[in-house]
């Protein structure tokens, strides 16, 4: 008896002239080239404004007023950065921002992961009511004035670091996505952990969290960027603690007081030439943006996977 030969799906498609052969057609190659060119142009248009901001931060007042758009300045000057770092408060504010960002992100991830893990379990008593309250908080909030009263009068956190960390300790939207991710983890893994003697806390720490690094890194980055760029909370909760101001609040004050401060420096130094206000704004953007951008390369391998899996699971 003649033995039958089994063909793989790709071999069968090649025999019948299916999609595998069509993939190498001229139309397919042209479509791929068009996609590459289009994506490259879109990426260039997104990075072009930031390149202009960096170049404008090193430009002179005359060049900013005569050249509406440029990437590389003709006359490079450090007056804007020299003006910004002339105050010794910059390093202190930078340290405050690093502490608030690190501590705030740690608090966010702790409450987000623990609450998401608890709600992901159907055996939790009152799970439906808790989910309804979480969803309600996604659409309605108490407002700024009640929040200020709670933080300053009830919790007694005014003029402290915790006043800008605790009020935003958890995001309902992020927690719901992490919950969906936890629900997508095979139940057999947790059951085997229970058989080995693990309780819920050990199962979360030893099984669930190591498998959830992509989604945790993604939302950790979201939380960190939010803390780094936040300034309004520090303005209303820490008005009497200037030594605890984050970098964003101090840089905002530098922009607002640039004209008056430049006048004071001009009275002290006759040779002082005030940098252009527009250049100061560009330098402030660079100083406040570059540090948090340095975090992206370390989390890039988790970022795309965490967003896609966290959005599709459940």
């Amino acid at each position: 008896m003649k033995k039958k030969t089994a063909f793989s799906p790709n071999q069968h498609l090649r025999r019948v002239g299916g999609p595998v052969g069509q993939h190498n057609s001229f139309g397919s190659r042209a479509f791929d080239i068009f996609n590459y060119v289009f994506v490259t142009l879109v990426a260039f248009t997104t990075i072009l404004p930031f390149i202009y901001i960096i170049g404008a931060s090193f430009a002179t007042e005359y060049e900013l007023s005569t050249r509406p758009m440029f990437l590389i300045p003709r006359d490079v000057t450090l007056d804007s950065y020299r003006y910004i770092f002339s105050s010794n408060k910059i390093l202190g504010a930078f340290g405050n921002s690093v502490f608030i960002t690190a501590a705030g992100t740690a608090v966010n991830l702790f409450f987000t992961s623990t609450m998401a893990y608890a709600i992901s379990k159907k055996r939790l008593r009152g799970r439906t009511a808790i989910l309804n309250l979480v969803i309600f908080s996604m659409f309605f909030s108490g407002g700024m004035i009640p929040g200020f009263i709670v933080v300053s009068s009830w919790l007694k956190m005014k003029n402290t670091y915790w006043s800008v960390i605790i009020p935003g300790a958890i995001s309902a939207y992020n927690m719901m996505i992490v919950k969906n991710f936890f629900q997508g983890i095979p139940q057999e893994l947790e059951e085997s952990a229970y058989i080995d003697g693990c309780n819920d806390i050990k199962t979360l720490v030893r099984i669930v969290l190591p498998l959830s690094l992509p989604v945790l890194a993604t939302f950790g980055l979201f939380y960190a960027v939010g803390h780094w760029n936040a300034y309004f909370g520090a303005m209303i909760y820490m008005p009497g603690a200037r030594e605890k101001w984050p970098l964003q609040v101090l840089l905002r004050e530098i922009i607002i007081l640039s004209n008056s401060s430049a006048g004071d420096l001009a009275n002290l130094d006759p040779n002082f030439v005030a940098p252009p206000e527009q250049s100061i704004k560009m330098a402030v953007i660079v100083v406040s943006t570059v540090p948090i951008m340095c975090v992206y390369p370390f989390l890039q391998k988790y970022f795309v996977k965490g967003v896609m899996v966290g959005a599709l699971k459940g």
Side-chain angles (χ1 to χ4, degrees), residues 140-199:
F140 302 97
S141 63
M144 182 178 66
I145 295 177
F148 179 82
I149 294 174
V150 169
V151 173
S152 60
S153 300
W154 290 6
L155 300 179
K156 305 297 182 181
M157 292 182 179
K158 191 175 182 180
N159 294 325
T160 64
Y161 290 118
W162 301 112
S163 63
V164 295
I165 295 176
I166 298 300
I170 187 172
S171 169
Y173 179 78
N174 295 344
M175 190 276 297
M176 293 295 290
I177 297 180
V178 176
K179 177 190 77 70
N180 293 337
F181 183 88
F182 287 166
Q183 288 178 340
I185 296 177
Q187 188 67 25
E188 292 78 9
L189 293 176
E190 299 185 32
E191 292 176 354
S192 62
Y194 293 141
I195 294 175
D196 292 337
C198 292
N199 53 21

Side-chain angles (χ1 to χ4, degrees), residues 242-257:
R242 295 173 61 90
E243 71 280 358
K244 298 179 181 179
W245 277 4
L247 183 63
Q248 309 297 337
V249 179
L250 185 61
L251 294 178
R252 176 182 177 273
E253 185 181 57
I254 289 176
I255 293 177
I256 294 176
L257 302 178

Side-chain angles (χ1 to χ4, degrees), residues 18-311:
V20 175
Q22 295 177 1
H23 181 73
N24 295 324
S25 64
F26 174 78
S28 178
R29 292 195 299 269
F31 182 73
D32 291 340
I33 293 174
F34 172 79
N35 283 340
Y36 291 141
V37 173
F38 178 76
V39 172
T40 302
L41 291 177
V42 171
F44 182 75
T45 56
T46 56
I47 198 175
L48 185 63
F50 190 71
I51 297 177
Y52 167 73
I53 290 174
I54 296 177
S57 65
F58 292 98
T60 61
E61 182 176 8
Y62 175 77
E63 188 170 5
L64 287 174
S65 59
T66 56
R67 298 179 64 189
M69 181 64 186
F70 58 89
L71 299 180
I72 300 177
R74 295 172 181 171
D75 299 324
V76 177
T77 177
L78 298 176
D79 290 341
S80 297
Y81 292 96
R82 190 178 297 111
Y83 173 79
I84 292 176
F85 290 100
S86 61
S87 174
N88 55 5
K89 298 180 181 179
I90 290 291
L91 294 179
F94 185 84
N96 294 335
S97 291
V98 171
F99 173 77
I100 292 173
T101 300
T105 303
V107 170
N108 293 140
L109 290 179
F110 174 79
F111 285 104
T112 299
S113 59
T114 52
M115 185 173 183
Y117 181 71
I119 295 181
S120 66
K121 303 305 173 186
K122 295 182 180 180
R123 65 178 185 272
L124 177 67
R125 295 181 180 180
R127 178 175 180 268
T128 302
I130 296 174
L131 280 175
N132 291 333
L133 291 175
V134 171
I135 295 173
F136 180 84
S137 67
M138 294 172 62
F139 299 97
F140 302 97
S141 63
M144 182 178 66
I145 295 177
F148 179 82
I149 294 174
V150 169
V151 173
S152 60
S153 300
W154 290 6
L155 300 179
K156 305 297 182 181
M157 292 182 179
K158 191 175 182 180
N159 294 325
T160 64
Y161 290 118
W162 301 112
S163 63
V164 295
I165 295 176
I166 298 300
I170 187 172
S171 169
Y173 179 78
N174 295 344
M175 190 276 297
M176 293 295 290
I177 297 180
V178 176
K179 177 190 77 70
N180 293 337
F181 183 88
F182 287 166
Q183 288 178 340
I185 296 177
Q187 188 67 25
E188 292 78 9
L189 293 176
E190 299 185 32
E191 292 176 354
S192 62
Y194 293 141
I195 294 175
D196 292 337
C198 292
N199 53 21
D200 289 329
I201 297 179
K202 290 183 178 180
T203 302
L204 173 64
V205 174
R206 297 181 180 181
I207 304 297
V208 177
L209 292 184
L211 295 175
S212 306
L213 285 180
V215 71
L216 293 179
T218 299
F219 288 106
L221 181 61
F222 289 163
Y223 283 129
V225 172
H227 283 294
W228 182 267
N229 293 330
Y231 70 95
F232 187 74
M235 288 175 53
I236 63 176
Y237 294 136
M238 296 192 294
R242 295 173 61 90
E243 71 280 358
K244 298 179 181 179
W245 277 4
L247 183 63
Q248 309 297 337
V249 179
L250 185 61
L251 294 178
R252 176 182 177 273
E253 185 181 57
I254 289 176
I255 293 177
I256 294 176
L257 302 178
S258 59
N259 291 333
S260 60
S261 299
D264 296 339
L265 291 175
N267 293 331
L268 297 176
D269 186 3
N271 298 324
F272 174 78
V273 178
E277 183 179 355
Q278 190 69 15
S279 180
I280 293 178
K281 293 180 180 179
M282 301 299 181
V284 165
I285 294 174
V286 174
V287 171
S288 60
T289 305
V290 169
I292 196 65
M293 288 182 64
C294 295
V295 180
Y296 278 86
F298 299 99
L299 301 178
Q300 185 178 6
K301 62 180 180 179
Y302 302 109
F303 188 73
V304 176
K305 182 178 179 182
V307 171
M308 295 299 295
V309 176

